[in-house]
Amino acid sequence: MTEGHADRGERRGKVTITEIAREAGVSVPTVSRVVNGRSDVAPGTRARVEDLLHRHGYRRRTATTSRTRAALLDLVFNDLDSPWAVEIIRGVEEVAHAAGIGTVVSAIHNRSGDARQWMTNLRARASDGVVLVTSVLEPVLHEELRRLGVPLVVIDPAGSPALDVPTVGATNWAGGMAATEHLLRLGHRRIGFVAGPPRLLCSRARLDGYRAALDRAGIAVDASLIVPGDFYQESGFTGCNALLDLAEPPTALFAASDQMAMGAVETLRRRGLRVPEDMSVVGFDDLPEVRWSAPPLTTVRQPLAEMGKLAVRTVLKLTRGEELDSPRVELATELVVRSSTAPVPAGRRGAGV
Amino acid sequence: MTEGHADRGERRGKVTITEIAREAGVSVPTVSRVVNGRSDVAPGTRARVEDLLHRHGYRRRTATTSRTRAALLDLVFNDLDSPWAVEIIRGVEEVAHAAGIGTVVSAIHNRSGDARQWMTNLRARASDGVVLVTSVLEPVLHEELRRLGVPLVVIDPAGSPALDVPTVGATNWAGGMAATEHLLRLGHRRIGFVAGPPRLLCSRARLDGYRAALDRAGIAVDASLIVPGDFYQESGFTGCNALLDLAEPPTALFAASDQMAMGAVETLRRRGLRVPEDMSVVGFDDLPEVRWSAPPLTTVRQPLAEMGKLAVRTVLKLTRGEELDSPRVELATELVVRSSTAPVPAGRRGAGV
């Protein structure tokens, strides 16, 4: 257990470290150092050894050969501060629990210090696989995990992931388009958009879906109607205020997260405006809470628990050395129409609030 | 790692299994069977051995003596379906992560089958401690964990826990009283209460706090104003509907959870009633979301993350064999006044909606 993945692979894998060493023309301890991610290996040697390890599918043997110890899976978030985290945990835990695997939940706060600490812990507990949720630290962690031979699956990648990292996401672009088209069908022409963090791919995809829907409807995108946000409530509150302060405010608002939509609804309430009579609001996520918000929120459902389940199944396939159907999977989003959207009043078609 | 707690204790503890066996007048394998929770031991023998193990503080040595392996802590929920779960996970993970300990999150759904599966997994991964959150399965799990020598701390116990199980809770009774007194100060005299599940101690304490506040104010408790709920939104929706259908409905409502309060707010919205003008609403929990609900919710803050942190610190103390200051800790709840409560309109003092 405490000897790390290298030794287990060496004892039981089809290709041993000794064979890799022979093929690479280096010593066994050198291969071991590469596998254990130590720094005292010349870059050229490391590259040659890693290539051989990869080609021989070395990492694939770790989990199937370790029947005597308890299996663990690491689920890593940036922050554990949003109700959507619990949705993902629920999905991951359900599949892992049924397979007798413990789900170790961590938060690394986009800080490399926390990530290093986590990596140290992961190494010590010899986790069988990692599911990483939307982190800008993904490239760094990926490199380390590859050295350790621990399979990684990324949920909702922050940036473009390395080609050999499987990802599970949602159809964010299609969701952004569906939300906007719903508002267009209700007669809205000036539609505000509260964006997510631009460094995240999912934010960009939702924004592009919004733009595409307007474009298809022959409506020029008005940059003043797009305001920045960070997915949290307060930015929705602030963003909606900014939109209402425009000379010609929108009649509808699409927020790139449910939490920002909730913040926007609160802005409208404080200004004495009604949802949806004075302004329609659409969110993104479909958190369980928004079914009960006042009013129940029209939103784009992201199947978060299902994304978690699929990520675990993908990690398990990797640990068993099975082929993946596809390294990139996007689960479908779905527009859920509730009570926060309504037709634009006839007298205000084409106008603002 | 895979040999279980007994062997580690035997190798490194101050009191060995051999000494326990001698003192109990049984064989070493018998003591080992007791420690490993096996069933092939006569009840009288088991009791004698367990007593000795306990008196010698046998279980206390497992974690401190296992420096060579990775530490794990199990955090067990009934269900991972509420935003308050993520608050507890956040607190637990923060303290555990800093101590280099992995937090294994599980859900047992109040089903003994799931609990058995979890127990099997726990045994296989040789977890160092368990934090269990509000489960009616607590007595069963406690018994098993005691046999394994794994320390247990219960957050928010469902029923009266065994005397030797440390618990971390919140001052539910005081919170229930504070919420009700807040409404009384605003002039409300008919105050509805949507209760939590009666099998949970926290539900009973909140209800008793409500009753105590009314009693202190010289107001007789009207049983028709107390409706059942299960902490989830829908029961708040239904409960509020029932209260509004009374011949003399209340002017204010106290829900024993934020989620039920949100359901109640939605009932009022659908009936065209305003919060707080037509009815004041108070929740319980202070989930991050309710700061942004429409309107922002007056509620009783339960320090969920802090409860998680304290539970981990308590488990760590137990694994180090340190004395606890107190086996029963209740962290303070706090009334947070926002926009969902207001004075009862003068014309309706003593009357319903």
Side-chain angles (χ1 to χ4, degrees):
Chain A
M1 173 76 191
T2 55
E3 299 165 299
H5 291 75
D7 304 281
R8 276 190 276 123
E10 188 177 33
R11 271 195 309 259
R12 315 190 200 189
K14 272 178 282 182
V15 172
T16 64
I17 281 191
T18 313
E19 283 158 3
I20 298 275
R22 198 181 309 128
E23 200 170 335
V26 299
S27 70
V28 169
T30 299
V31 175
S32 191
R33 277 199 292 274
V34 170
V35 171
N36 286 312
R38 283 174 49 186
S39 55
D40 47 352
V41 183
T45 307
R46 178 188 303 285
R48 200 159 66 246
V49 172
E50 281 181 346
D51 182 55
L52 282 167
L53 290 168
H54 189 71
R55 276 202 281 141
H56 286 291
Y58 180 83
R59 70 169 182 184
R60 292 181 177 162
R61 248 160 260 123
T62 50
T64 45
T65 56
S66 55
R67 298 219 184 280
T68 54
R69 69 186 187 83
L72 291 174
L73 179 132
D74 266 67
L75 173 60
V76 186
F77 293 88
N78 266 324
D79 293 295
L80 288 161
D81 64 352
S82 162
W84 64 257
V86 84
E87 292 297 297
I88 291 177
I89 294 171
R90 186 161 59 85
V92 167
E93 194 274 340
E94 190 176 316
V95 174
H97 181 87
I101 297 168
T103 303
V104 181
V105 176
S106 304
I108 53 173
H109 309 290
N110 270 347
R111 290 194 293 258
S112 57
D114 284 311
R116 261 196 307 276
Q117 166 80 54
W118 168 75
M119 189 62 82
T120 305
N121 297 352
L122 173 101
R123 221 183 272 225
R125 62 183 163 249
S127 193
D128 292 288
V130 172
V131 174
L132 175 63
V133 187
T134 327
S135 171
V136 295
L137 295 177
E138 190 216 304
V140 185
L141 296 180
H142 171 226
E143 189 56 32
E144 284 257 14
L145 291 170
R146 201 160 62 92
R147 283 185 198 156
L148 290 172
V150 177
L152 167 69
V153 173
V154 173
I155 290 180
D156 211 359
S160 294
L163 276 176
D164 57 339
V165 181
T167 63
V168 175
T171 56
N172 289 297
W173 182 83
M177 194 151 93
T180 312
E181 287 185 332
H182 167 66
L183 293 169
L184 289 166
R185 273 195 303 276
L186 291 168
H188 297 279
R189 290 298 172 266
R190 282 187 71 73
I191 300 170
F193 183 76
V194 187
R199 70 175 186 282
L200 303 183
L201 278 186
C202 64
S203 300
R204 291 185 176 270
R206 291 171 201 174
L207 173 57
D208 283 349
Y210 159 83
R211 284 191 181 123
L214 292 176
D215 191 54
R216 280 182 74 187
I219 296 172
V221 173
D222 180 346
S224 72
L225 290 180
I226 301 172
V227 295
D230 61 7
F231 284 156
Y232 293 98
Q233 287 98 332
E234 189 157 6
S235 66
F237 182 83
T238 315
C240 183
N241 254 325
L243 289 169
L244 291 169
D245 288 341
L246 290 174
E248 197 187 342
T251 60
L253 181 152
F254 170 30
S257 78
D258 280 352
Q259 291 177 284
M260 295 196 298
M262 293 290 87
V265 169
E266 174 57 12
T267 302
L268 292 160
R269 195 196 61 86
R270 288 209 203 164
R271 286 186 168 221
L273 297 170
R274 294 160 302 160
V275 178
E277 294 84 351
D278 297 315
M279 191 183 267
S280 286
V281 176
V282 182
F284 201 108
D285 280 330
D286 196 24
L287 299 176
E289 291 74 57
V290 305
R291 258 168 270 165
W292 296 98
S293 61
L297 194 68
T298 295
T299 188
V300 178
R301 180 165 195 272
Q302 227 195 146
L304 295 164
E306 285 73 16
M307 287 158 68
K309 289 179 189 178
L310 182 58
V312 177
R313 291 198 195 103
T314 307
V315 165
L316 293 180
K317 278 190 175 181
L318 291 174
T319 61
R320 288 191 300 259
E322 292 172 18
E323 283 300 310
L324 302 182
D325 300 329
S326 162
R328 302 269 174 280
V329 180
E330 290 199 348
L331 297 184
T333 53
E334 185 190 358
L335 181 74
V336 183
V337 178
R338 296 201 182 94
S339 315
S340 65
T341 47
V344 63
R348 290 205 307 233
R349 281 184 182 253
V353 170
Chain B
M1 175 74 190
T2 55
E3 300 165 301
H5 291 77
D7 304 281
R8 277 189 276 122
E10 187 178 32
R11 270 195 309 261
R12 315 191 200 188
K14 272 178 284 184
V15 172
T16 64
I17 281 191
T18 314
E19 284 160 3
I20 298 275
R22 197 180 310 130
E23 200 169 336
V26 299
S27 71
V28 169
T30 299
V31 176
S32 192
R33 279 199 291 274
V34 171
V35 171
N36 287 311
R38 282 172 50 185
S39 55
D40 47 352
V41 183
T45 308
R46 178 187 305 283
R48 199 160 68 246
V49 171
E50 282 180 345
D51 182 56
L52 283 166
L53 289 168
H54 188 72
R55 276 202 281 142
H56 286 291
Y58 180 82
R59 69 168 182 184
R60 292 180 178 162
R61 249 161 258 123
T62 51
T64 46
T65 56
S66 56
R67 296 219 187 279
T68 54
R69 69 185 187 85
L72 291 174
L73 179 133
D74 266 67
L75 173 60
V76 186
F77 292 89
N78 266 323
D79 293 296
L80 287 161
D81 65 351
S82 162
W84 65 257
V86 84
E87 292 297 297
I88 291 177
I89 294 172
R90 185 161 59 86
V92 167
E93 194 275 340
E94 190 176 315
V95 173
H97 181 88
I101 297 168
T103 303
V104 180
V105 176
S106 304
I108 53 173
H109 309 289
N110 270 347
R111 290 195 293 257
S112 57
D114 283 311
R116 259 196 309 275
Q117 167 79 54
W118 168 76
M119 189 62 81
T120 305
N121 298 352
L122 173 102
R123 219 182 272 225
R125 62 183 164 250
S127 194
D128 292 288
V130 173
V131 174
L132 175 63
V133 187
T134 327
S135 171
V136 294
L137 294 176
E138 191 215 304
V140 185
L141 296 179
H142 171 227
E143 189 55 34
E144 284 258 14
L145 292 170
R146 200 161 64 92
R147 283 186 199 155
L148 290 172
V150 177
L152 168 68
V153 172
V154 173
I155 290 181
D156 210 0
S160 294
L163 276 176
D164 57 339
V165 180
T167 62
V168 175
T171 56
N172 290 297
W173 182 82
M177 195 152 91
T180 313
E181 287 186 332
H182 166 65
L183 293 169
L184 289 166
R185 273 195 303 274
L186 291 168
H188 297 279
R189 289 297 171 267
R190 281 187 72 72
I191 300 171
F193 183 75
V194 187
R199 68 175 186 282
L200 303 182
L201 278 186
C202 64
S203 299
R204 290 184 176 272
R206 290 171 202 175
L207 173 58
D208 283 347
Y210 159 83
R211 284 191 181 121
L214 292 176
D215 192 55
R216 282 182 72 189
I219 297 172
V221 174
D222 178 346
S224 72
L225 290 179
I226 301 172
V227 295
D230 61 7
F231 284 155
Y232 293 98
Q233 286 98 330
E234 189 158 6
S235 66
F237 182 84
T238 314
C240 183
N241 253 326
L243 289 169
L244 290 170
D245 288 341
L246 291 174
E248 197 188 341
T251 61
L253 181 152
F254 169 31
S257 77
D258 281 353
Q259 291 177 282
M260 293 196 299
M262 294 289 88
V265 169
E266 174 57 11
T267 301
L268 293 160
R269 195 195 63 84
R270 288 208 202 164
R271 287 186 168 221
L273 296 170
R274 293 159 303 160
V275 178
E277 293 84 351
D278 296 316
M279 191 183 267
S280 287
V281 176
V282 182
F284 201 107
D285 281 330
D286 195 23
L287 299 176
E289 291 73 57
V290 304
R291 260 169 267 164
W292 296 98
S293 61
L297 194 70
T298 295
T299 188
V300 178
R301 178 165 197 273
Q302 226 194 146
L304 295 164
E306 286 73 16
M307 287 157 69
K309 289 180 190 180
L310 182 59
V312 178
R313 290 196 194 102
T314 306
V315 165
L316 294 180
K317 278 189 176 181
L318 291 174
T319 61
R320 289 191 300 259
E322 291 173 19
E323 282 299 310
L324 302 182
D325 301 330
S326 162
R328 300 270 175 279
V329 180
E330 290 199 347
L331 297 184
T333 52
E334 186 191 357
L335 181 73
V336 182
V337 179
R338 297 202 181 94
S339 314
S340 65
T341 46
V344 64
R348 290 204 307 230
R349 280 182 185 256
V353 169

